[in-house]
Amino acid sequence: MKVAVILPCYNEELTIGKVIDDFRKELPEATIYVYDNNSKDRTMEVAKQHGAIVKKEFRQGKGNVVCSMFRDIEADIYVMADGDDTYPAEFVHNLIEPIKTGEADMVIGDRHTNGTYSKENKRAFHNFGNHFVKSLINKLFKASLSDIMSGYRVFNRKFVKNMPVLSTGFEIETEMSIHALDKNFLIKEIPIEYRDRPEGSYSKLNTFSDGIKVLKTVFWLFKDFKPLVFFTFVALCLFIVGLIVGVPVILEFIDAHYIKKVPSAILSGSLMILSTLSLSCGFILDTIVKQHKQNYAMFLNRYEG
């Protein structure tokens, strides 16, 4: 099987050389690709010196890099990691094995099960955000994943070539997890160790802005993948508010056979109409989504990797 190690990079001059050497030691038969995302340091030069195939992605954002990697690179097994030396290369054999045996289409390097992520990562809000997003997605998709946002993953060709990458930034891992859950791909998690960046290297993640992007991604993907649940919730909220506004109007009419609170009556009626429309949209979109899933399943059946 042809193995490709794909490393998206942005200003990783200090670490990328070691990451390339570590993966070459573990996978001497693999081809190592480094996609530079407009780095302002010597990332490209160092990567070339260490023997990687270096390409440049001019569209800023990790999602854009992953999109180009998935479309450009031809392989049977794809190993994706970061260029910051936070994911130990020695775990790659454990991650590849389920792909080779057909047990999984995507294998996730789970940073949380053995507790090393919470110990090594000094940013408390990152830990909180990871657990919050994980709990939310697991609840929405009735899953039991431990690490939704890990950047250490291994894929087979079928997953890579049939993954529509829509995210442009660091929310790409969340999108891949949701896509795999929704399209019923086989997912397996393998516990790994996580280590913080070495001294002198700094993270490009912004806890709040990137956290908001991830939550927005979850919100919109929830709407797209689970429209009936989403619009039923919206309809229920509108119905409750309309009921709260409308009950005094109904009681007034029962008591006096006359309505003085005309604005409240209009508002309540409008909210009830919007609630009905929201529920109708949910049913219509749910039918469309189910049809899309059927078409996607038929496409996968015809796919030849």
Side-chain angles (χ1 to χ4, degrees), residues 150-303:
S150 173
Y152 198 4
R153 301 177 183 233
V154 179
F155 317 95
N156 62 16
R157 180 180 175 83
K158 181 173 74 171
F159 183 89
V160 166
K161 295 304 179 182
N162 295 287
M163 166 72 196
V165 179
L166 303 177
S167 301
T168 59
F170 282 100
E171 61 272 26
I172 178 62
E173 286 89 0
T174 305
E175 182 187 352
M176 286 192 290
S177 299
I178 292 177
H179 174 73
L181 288 170
D182 182 69
K183 297 301 186 293
N184 204 31
F185 280 102
L186 293 170
I187 307 172
K188 192 175 182 65
E189 292 186 300
I190 302 292
I192 62 167
E193 292 181 5
Y194 176 87
R195 56 194 178 211
D196 204 5
R197 285 172 169 269
E199 187 176 351
S201 177
Y202 66 93
S203 174
K204 290 79 183 175
L205 287 171
N206 183 289
T207 301
F208 295 101
S209 64
D210 286 315
I212 290 172
K213 288 178 183 178
V214 169
L215 289 176
K216 284 172 61 179
T217 299
V218 173
F219 176 83
W220 290 115
L221 290 176
F222 174 37
K223 175 186 69 68
D224 293 339
F225 289 125
K226 301 285 186 179
L228 183 57
V229 178
F230 179 85
F231 284 101
T232 298
F233 176 75
V234 173
L236 183 61
C237 291
L238 292 169
F239 178 81
I240 291 172
V241 175
L243 199 62
I244 292 172
V245 175
V247 165
V249 177
I250 296 172
L251 293 176
E252 180 186 50
F253 180 77
I254 292 173
D255 183 56
H257 298 286
Y258 185 78
I259 297 176
K260 295 180 181 179
K261 301 176 180 178
V262 176
S264 296
I266 295 173
L267 177 59
S268 177
S270 300
L271 289 170
M272 291 301 182
I273 292 172
L274 289 175
S275 176
T276 304
L277 289 174
S278 178
L279 189 61
S280 300
C281 288
F283 279 113
I284 294 169
L285 292 173
D286 186 63
T287 302
I288 294 173
V289 167
K290 286 181 179 178
Q291 184 64 50
H292 172 71
K293 285 184 179 180
Q294 291 174 0
N295 292 338
Y296 189 85
M298 293 297 293
F299 172 78
L300 285 182
N301 289 339
R302 294 192 297 267
Y303 172 76

